[in-house]
Amino acid sequence: MNSRLLQILYRTAQNRAFTSRVGSSANYSCGITNGGLVNQLGIQKTSFLSNSHTAFSLVRGHKMIICSAVAADLSIFSHSIGIRLATTQAKAPPQARQMGALKVSMLSPGIIYEPYSPRQPIPFWQRWFTRSGWRRTKDDIILELKSAYAIAKLRKKGYSKKQFYEEAVNLYKEINTLIANGDKTSLRKAVTEKMYSALKNEIKLRESKWNKVYWEMILPVVKIRTLRARLIGVDRSDLEKVFVQLTLEILAKQFEAYNAEGAVVAGDKSKEVLVRDIWVFEKSLFHEGAFWRLCGRIPI
């Protein structure tokens, strides 16, 4: 018993000596947050404490434990001698809280899943009487089944083809008008984060030549059709947490753009031009109040 008491007192003295060097603390602070994407197991240095202190995040799976490296005082209590750490749960720093929020409520996957590209037609005899034709037929069927499944999933959420096409045309007109006017603030709400970054750079490049351009489209559009539909899951344990992406072909009559001074930027401002665009619209199926946004444009 005496030897155990001596060992504990010796360790306590060491800890108090260490505490006096790095600064005394009344408790051992520990907070747990759902961090961003990190390694499966490791130690990551963070910098949200003061200059004199350092913090490390101990990562295990998808939980990130944020602890301060300041030592805590040890106290002896009860009739039998024991060691206790006074603990309190600390809030994660703003950076970590933001990372956790982004992970829990992802606003967009940030990619176009299986971007559409036109399939080259092959002769009838090659499709049905050669191995390469059979493989091509199988691939075509799989692509169509993926689209059919995504549309079926979307219909369970109240999807209406007619209503969506009307919304897509309005969004198409709105986004083109905002780009022409250089209205980046309003544009942010109509597109995904990655698309906004690309459009912002596009507007900046254009404004180096023309501050503002005029754009006009004639309604109704000549043609609109769905080329591809895809689902993107974000949680393997919950199949309902998915984003849907619909690739549309839009054929519309437009007047070519010209700037505020009336100088023609491209084409003829007195003649309408038939323009074909392929845009990808995205929507979350698990966020309440989610709406369609532009997430990409397919080059033609």
Side-chain angles (χ1 to χ4, degrees):
M1 181 67 179
N2 292 334
S3 61
R4 183 182 176 189
L5 175 60
L6 289 174
Q7 288 178 356
I8 293 172
L9 291 175
Y10 176 72
R11 289 176 184 172
T12 303
Q14 281 187 325
N15 280 298
R16 290 187 181 276
F18 175 76
T19 304
S20 64
R21 289 194 299 270
V22 298
S24 178
S25 173
N27 57 19
Y28 180 86
S29 297
C30 179
I32 301 177
T33 180
N34 288 322
L37 297 178
V38 290
N39 295 330
Q40 202 64 15
L41 181 63
I43 297 178
Q44 180 183 9
K45 189 172 181 180
T46 58
S47 58
F48 57 84
L49 294 180
S50 63
N51 296 332
S52 61
H53 297 159
T54 305
F56 295 88
S57 58
L58 307 180
V59 182
R60 181 168 300 167
H62 294 291
K63 293 287 185 182
M64 183 167 64
I65 306 174
I66 301 174
C67 302
S68 68
V70 180
D73 290 335
L74 300 177
S75 60
I76 302 175
F77 71 100
S78 189
H79 297 289
S80 58
I81 299 176
I83 298 178
R84 177 176 63 88
L85 288 177
T87 64
T88 57
Q89 186 171 358
K91 288 186 179 180
Q95 300 95 323
R97 290 200 296 271
Q98 289 173 4
M99 289 171 61
L102 285 174
K103 182 182 176 185
V104 173
S105 57
M106 183 185 293
L107 300 178
S108 172
I111 62 169
I112 299 177
Y113 179 56
E114 293 186 353
Y116 170 82
S117 60
R119 307 284 284 178
Q120 296 298 326
I122 60 176
F124 176 82
W125 64 267
Q126 183 180 351
R127 179 178 289 276
W128 297 108
F129 299 106
T130 63
R131 290 184 181 274
S132 61
W134 297 340
R135 284 194 295 268
R136 168 64 182 276
T137 301
K138 184 188 75 171
D139 292 342
D140 289 345
I141 292 173
I142 291 173
L143 290 175
E144 292 301 321
L145 287 175
K146 285 182 178 180
S147 291
Y149 177 74
I151 294 295
K153 187 88 171 177
L154 195 55
R155 283 200 179 111
K156 292 181 179 179
K157 302 292 183 178
Y159 167 80
S160 166
K161 186 178 185 179
K162 181 181 178 181
Q163 183 180 352
F164 168 68
Y165 280 178
E166 291 176 355
E167 189 175 348
V169 169
N170 291 334
L171 198 55
Y172 177 80
K173 183 178 180 180
E174 178 188 356
I175 291 173
N176 276 307
T177 303
L178 293 175
I179 293 173
N181 295 337
D183 188 351
K184 294 187 283 289
T185 303
S186 301
L187 189 63
R188 183 187 289 271
K189 303 173 185 177
V191 301
T192 61
E193 291 70 25
K194 187 172 182 180
M195 192 65 203
Y196 175 74
S197 179
L199 291 177
K200 187 171 64 172
N201 293 333
E202 182 180 307
I203 292 173
K204 184 178 180 181
L205 182 63
R206 190 211 65 209
E207 287 180 341
S208 63
K209 298 180 180 180
W210 308 289
N211 185 33
K212 185 179 180 181
V213 297
Y214 177 81
W215 180 90
E216 183 181 354
M217 181 180 75
I218 301 175
L219 292 174
V221 296
V222 177
K223 181 182 180 181
I224 182 171
R225 63 174 179 142
T226 302
L227 300 176
R228 179 163 292 181
R230 290 292 182 268
L231 294 175
I232 304 177
V234 295
D235 190 345
R236 291 183 179 181
S237 61
D238 190 350
L239 298 181
E240 295 300 318
K241 289 186 177 180
V242 295
F243 289 85
V244 62
Q245 292 181 347
L246 296 184
T247 303
L248 299 186
E249 178 188 33
I250 301 175
L251 197 63
K253 291 181 180 180
Q254 305 173 12
F255 287 102
E256 287 301 288
Y258 54 93
N259 61 21
E261 286 73 30
V264 178
V265 174
D268 189 343
K269 66 179 181 181
S270 62
K271 295 180 182 179
E272 59 190 36
V273 179
L274 195 61
V275 179
R276 177 175 177 258
D277 282 315
I278 299 179
W279 283 20
V280 184
F281 296 92
E282 178 184 280
K283 182 180 180 181
S284 167
L285 297 187
F286 63 97
H287 287 104
E288 187 177 353
F291 51 88
W292 290 101
R293 298 190 297 172
L294 174 67
C295 73
R297 297 178 295 184
I298 305 294
I300 301 175

